[in-house]
Amino acid sequence: MDHPSTADPDPATSTTSSSSTHSTTTTTTPSSLRKRLLSVDTSSRCGGSERESKARSEMAETERDVESAVPVPMSPAGRLFREKHFNCYIVAVIGLGSRVDVAAARAGLEATLVRHPRFCSVQVTDDASKSAKPKWVRTTVNLDDHLIFPDLDPTATSSSPDQAIEDYMSTLSTTPMDHSRPLWELHVLDFPTSDAAATVAVRMHHSLGDGVSLLSLLIACTRSAADPSRLPALPPPAAQQPRRREGGVAAAFVAWVWWCVVLAWHTVVDVVLFVATSLFLRDARTPFAGTDGVEFRRKRFVHRTLSLDDVKLVKNAMKCTVNDVLVGVTSAAMSRHYFRKTSDINSEKSKRRKNIRVRAALLVNIRKIPGLHVLAEMMKSSKSNGARWGNLIGYMGKRTVDRKKSSLEAIFTYRSGNLIVKLFGIKAAAALCYGMFTNTTMSFSSMVGPSEKVEFYGHPIVYIAPSVYGHPHALTVHYQSYMNTVKVVLAVDDAQFPDAHQLVDDFAESLRLIRQAASANS
């Protein structure tokens, strides 16, 4: 079922849709695509490092090619995010340490974001052929179509600014975007909140790229707060623990063979379970599970700030990874919420809930080179580029973190999805993914952000809170690190989780209890 209030115009049937913004905004919609050449000084605000030179060259090349570039076919993953049940959008609330300088923001956007190939392109499908694949076609960006200044109630923004932003972000989840333009928006909410002097909200269609791509692009649009002449330092890659090899070459060979056997076995089992999940293996019906049509309903985005030092303390005490700790915090928080919601049920049901199955679709970056990357490196088109731009994510139905680390399930789901698209079409791949999502309970993702304070076109960033909507889950959990903090961001079905703030508080309380236990046992 597709509701007109939430469905986007289909670019195959409409190229000039009505206004894409909420009725309270002051922007207008053009009746046709604008063809205006950009002329912006790309050397401003840039330092002299090799990395920044590459970024400037990439942006300049994009500007030169804006009219002449040939259409680029959309990837299978990008096409999947256009399907009715996966019409997905990424949203990111960014808290700023100063009020918004609109002129500086416009200049920064024109010098960076609007020159990116995906952010100056529209999705076009040949109407004459039903089998035609959508393509990215370059156009000229009118920044006034993408900078949105909502006209909110002054009483609400002054008396309860945090709630005003939360409510506004919730309305975006049911407000369609105009597919006759590049599919991104920057919403300016220029009033102070409890933890920021102003807020900007970025909304973009998921077909533009995945979290790694878009966060790398965001970093390319920022500068170090300590030294505005340079780009922020990228987070260091996770340290790889060297394997101890005892007993000589023979023992090492046996260990390698055993590792291969375990990897193959886990992959086969996980793939079978993935297919079974897509077809019939359904999670128990808990307060977290979504119902039919949840992907079309209004979402609410709530977030809390956690201490990265606390997470690392637990990591060191348990000799695990940061992601292991975050999965544990998520499990503990959901348990607290579940037992509070079901505390009044009878003893017979209490016995049944001991064996419930609750799984998450864990979004995994399957690039050969993990972590964030320099934007110019990501934009190289070579197939051998291990950090290339796009939607390079795999899905894993997850219960045991360590078990999944010795499996190729995520890579299999990505590559098999591409194969299914080639053999049977995008509708078959979408049906397979839809079954996987509707038969699991939630989505989970974590991203590493800048380790130092950064400025967004001259505005100090206080926090980054990303999320996503448009997929068939009632609960999505995102973790985003920045400096010495971690933001936990929940996207929940607004009607199903009227106590969303209590749920996100459970995450903070769970980390506190886990840290307390780790400190006592260390």
Side-chain angles (χ1 to χ4, degrees), residues 10-15 123-133:
D10 188 346
T13 58
S14 173
T15 58
Q123 300 174 3
V124 175
T125 303
D126 183 6
D127 294 344
S129 174
K130 292 184 178 179
S131 61
K133 298 178 181 178

Side-chain angles (χ1 to χ4, degrees), residues 221-342:
C221 296
T222 64
R223 293 293 181 268
S224 167
D227 182 6
S229 66
R230 66 172 175 85
L231 289 167
L234 295 180
Q240 298 293 327
Q241 297 294 333
R243 295 182 180 179
R244 297 183 61 184
R245 298 183 181 273
E246 299 179 356
V249 177
F253 177 75
V254 171
W256 176 80
V257 171
W258 177 248
W259 176 82
C260 290
V261 171
V262 171
L263 180 68
W265 173 249
H266 285 176
T267 301
V268 170
V269 171
D270 291 341
V271 167
V272 170
L273 288 175
F274 179 88
V275 174
T277 298
S278 298
L279 299 177
F280 61 85
L281 187 60
R282 192 180 185 94
D283 280 2
R285 296 293 87 188
T286 66
F288 305 104
T291 55
D292 291 342
V294 65
E295 61 269 28
F296 304 117
R297 294 199 292 269
R298 176 176 170 136
K299 301 301 183 294
R300 183 161 296 274
F301 308 97
V302 295
H303 55 84
R304 288 289 182 277
T305 302
L306 308 178
S307 168
L308 184 57
D309 289 337
D310 287 351
V311 173
K312 290 181 177 179
L313 185 148
V314 177
K315 172 186 79 76
N316 295 333
M318 300 299 296
K319 295 180 173 57
C320 60
T321 68
V322 167
N323 271 344
D324 294 338
V325 177
L326 298 180
V327 170
V329 169
T330 302
S331 177
M334 293 178 65
S335 294
R336 289 174 59 85
H337 188 80
Y338 175 81
F339 286 109
R340 181 170 57 246
K341 296 283 288 186
T342 59

Side-chain angles (χ1 to χ4, degrees), residues 266 269-271 273 362 396-409:
H266 285 176
V269 171
D270 291 341
V271 167
L273 288 175
L362 177 61
M396 298 196 304
K398 183 175 185 60
R399 283 190 290 182
T400 307
V401 176
D402 289 339
R403 163 72 171 71
K404 293 294 182 178
K405 290 176 181 176
S406 57
S407 171
L408 300 178
E409 179 187 359

Side-chain angles (χ1 to χ4, degrees), residues 63-82:
E63 180 183 14
R64 289 195 302 269
D65 294 344
V66 70
E67 293 291 337
S68 60
V70 297
V72 177
M74 291 185 65
S75 67
R79 293 166 60 194
L80 176 65
F81 286 124
R82 290 162 37 98

Side-chain angles (χ1 to χ4, degrees), residues 459-490:
H459 305 81
I461 291 182
V462 178
Y463 68 84
I464 307 170
S467 193
V468 66
Y469 70 88
H471 58 294
H473 273 157
L475 171 63
T476 298
V477 179
H478 281 269
Y479 288 97
Q480 175 66 61
S481 70
Y482 175 52
M483 295 192 293
N484 61 340
T485 65
V486 177
K487 270 289 185 185
V488 53
V489 189
L490 306 184

Side-chain angles (χ1 to χ4, degrees), residues 492 496 512:
V492 300
Q496 186 173 333
R512 186 189 71 81

